[in-house]
Amino acid sequence: MELILHNLLSNSFKYQRKDCENKFVKLSVEVSDGNATLKVSDCGIGISSDYINDIFKLFFRASDQAEGMGFGLYNVKSALLKLQGTVDVESEVGVGTTFKIVVPSKKTY
């Protein structure tokens, strides 16, 4: 979970819109029905709908605004696979992005 949060929050800060006066990054967590739902939202540069299906691929970068190697979101997706979690992305260029992560609770016997 630390890796997931680190990468999502880091991206929210890296890809802020320079012209936005009221920058924000929001993190919310809700636990119910055996699932933890995390949302990370920002008012950043956004991600083109052309790239949404590619952002979790290794080495893929949708923007040159920040220097990165294209590992972050790939690592998020890999960690979620191990946790049997899911990720949904809503984004609009020039408006911002929201990542919604759902992770089932760990079963103990």
Side-chain angles (χ1 to χ4, degrees):
M1 289 305 298
E2 182 180 348
L3 175 126
I4 293 166
L5 283 172
H6 172 79
N7 280 295
L8 294 179
L9 291 171
S10 176
N11 281 355
S12 289
F13 291 111
K14 281 187 214 176
Y15 297 105
Q16 290 182 357
R17 284 191 348 253
K18 293 179 179 16
D19 63 342
C20 183
E21 289 184 27
N22 298 312
K23 295 178 173 99
F24 70 84
V25 174
K26 295 180 184 178
L27 169 64
S28 67
V29 179
E30 180 182 320
V31 179
S32 65
D33 299 324
N35 292 312
T37 302
L38 296 84
K39 288 185 182 178
V40 176
S41 300
D42 62 51
C43 61
I45 62 173
I47 303 165
S48 168
S49 59
D50 294 340
Y51 298 137
I52 289 291
N53 292 326
D54 296 323
I55 61 174
F56 296 103
K57 292 179 181 175
L58 186 58
F59 303 123
F60 185 81
R61 294 176 58 218
S63 171
D64 291 328
Q65 180 167 318
E67 294 181 18
M69 299 298 293
F71 293 132
L73 292 177
Y74 172 81
N75 287 335
V76 166
K77 187 72 169 184
S78 295
L80 284 170
L81 285 172
K82 291 178 183 176
L83 296 171
Q84 298 178 333
T86 61
V87 59
D88 291 311
V89 184
E90 293 180 12
S91 189
E92 187 175 336
V93 173
V95 176
T97 303
T98 297
F99 285 87
K100 177 182 173 186
I101 306 293
V102 179
V103 179
S105 65
K106 185 177 178 182
K107 295 180 182 181
T108 57
Y109 298 94

